[in-house]
Amino acid sequence: TKVGSPQFGTGKLGKGYAGAPNAYLTVPTSQLQLGTEFSATFWYNTNPLPDRSGILTIGPPDPDLPATPNNRKKGFRFFREGGATNQTFKLNLGNGTSDNWFDGGPAATLNPATTDWVHLAFTISGTHAAVYINGEVVSENSFTGIDWAGCDILSIASGAPRFTEWGHLSDQSVLDELRIFNKALSKEEIKAVMAD
């Protein structure tokens, strides 16, 4: 489902998704075969405006904050935040009772003013999760497994409608070659996807 007016822009190869204010896509998670493992990979050309945004989100509703949801106990939130010359990519995962952060700090920070296309990926298994930039790990740790209860939509290029309390709304960057896997990819597999 298309929300707002996203456009097509110059992609890594051909055309890519170009975000716009108040724009994003949603996909029912019933089409994704969600299980104990999950990975996403894509090419990304960062627009630092706005200074923060959601990139990929699968989260549940938030009964405590229905107008500005931020229920991080289930699903995931992959997003960026920072400024004109420093955007840090972060992953937040819910295991059913609490949330876990995968924030690589400087290793996961890019300067949009000097960086063109980068390849982003993250992987989730029942024991481990990791974030990659250009095929290299920028954040990883053990993880007890993701809980998908109530997570019925994937949002592409926004935290909306399920992750908005902190202002991670529509991404105006360009995304290309988004691929979603029902397994936790290895570093070698991520590099193979990059080379494809």
Side-chain angles (χ1 to χ4, degrees), residues 17-38:
Y17 173 97
N22 304 310
Y24 56 95
L25 306 175
T26 64
V27 178
T29 57
S30 59
Q31 299 182 20
L32 301 181
Q33 300 177 359
L34 296 178
T36 58
E37 297 190 356
F38 183 96

Side-chain angles (χ1 to χ4, degrees), residues 24-192:
Y24 56 95
L25 306 175
T26 64
V27 178
T29 57
S30 59
Q31 299 182 20
L32 301 181
Q33 300 177 359
L34 296 178
T36 58
E37 297 190 356
F38 183 96
S39 297
T41 70
F42 55 99
W43 289 96
Y44 189 82
N45 196 336
T46 309
N47 180 347
L49 299 175
D51 65 353
R52 61 184 53 216
S53 72
I55 302 174
L56 294 175
T57 308
I58 297 181
D62 189 340
D64 297 325
L65 295 168
T68 56
N70 192 4
N71 183 350
R72 303 186 310 280
K73 293 181 180 179
K74 299 171 184 177
F76 71 77
R77 290 134 293 277
F78 188 61
F79 58 97
R80 63 170 177 83
E81 54 190 17
T85 60
N86 61 322
Q87 286 288 318
T88 303
F89 297 87
K90 303 179 181 182
L91 177 66
N92 175 269
L93 302 176
N95 63 12
T97 58
S98 63
D99 64 327
N100 297 254
W101 289 91
F102 295 82
D103 179 351
T109 300
L110 301 176
N111 182 349
T114 59
T115 305
D116 194 14
W117 287 96
V118 296
H119 190 267
L120 300 179
F122 61 91
T123 64
I124 304 166
S125 77
T127 59
H128 182 265
V131 178
Y132 296 78
I133 297 180
N134 289 331
E136 300 298 330
V137 174
V138 296
S139 179
E140 67 177 332
N141 209 332
S142 58
F143 180 58
T144 56
I146 196 161
D147 189 329
W148 299 114
C151 297
D152 57 344
I153 57 171
L154 162 67
S155 295
I156 301 171
S158 184
R162 299 283 172 79
F163 176 54
T164 64
E165 183 187 13
W166 296 335
H168 295 91
L169 302 173
S170 296
D171 193 347
Q172 297 180 44
S173 304
V174 184
L175 290 80
D176 202 4
E177 294 293 321
L178 172 62
R179 301 181 186 188
I180 295 172
F181 303 84
N182 60 356
K183 63 172 287 186
L185 298 181
S186 67
K187 181 177 181 178
E188 292 72 25
E189 288 171 323
I190 290 171
K191 289 193 171 185

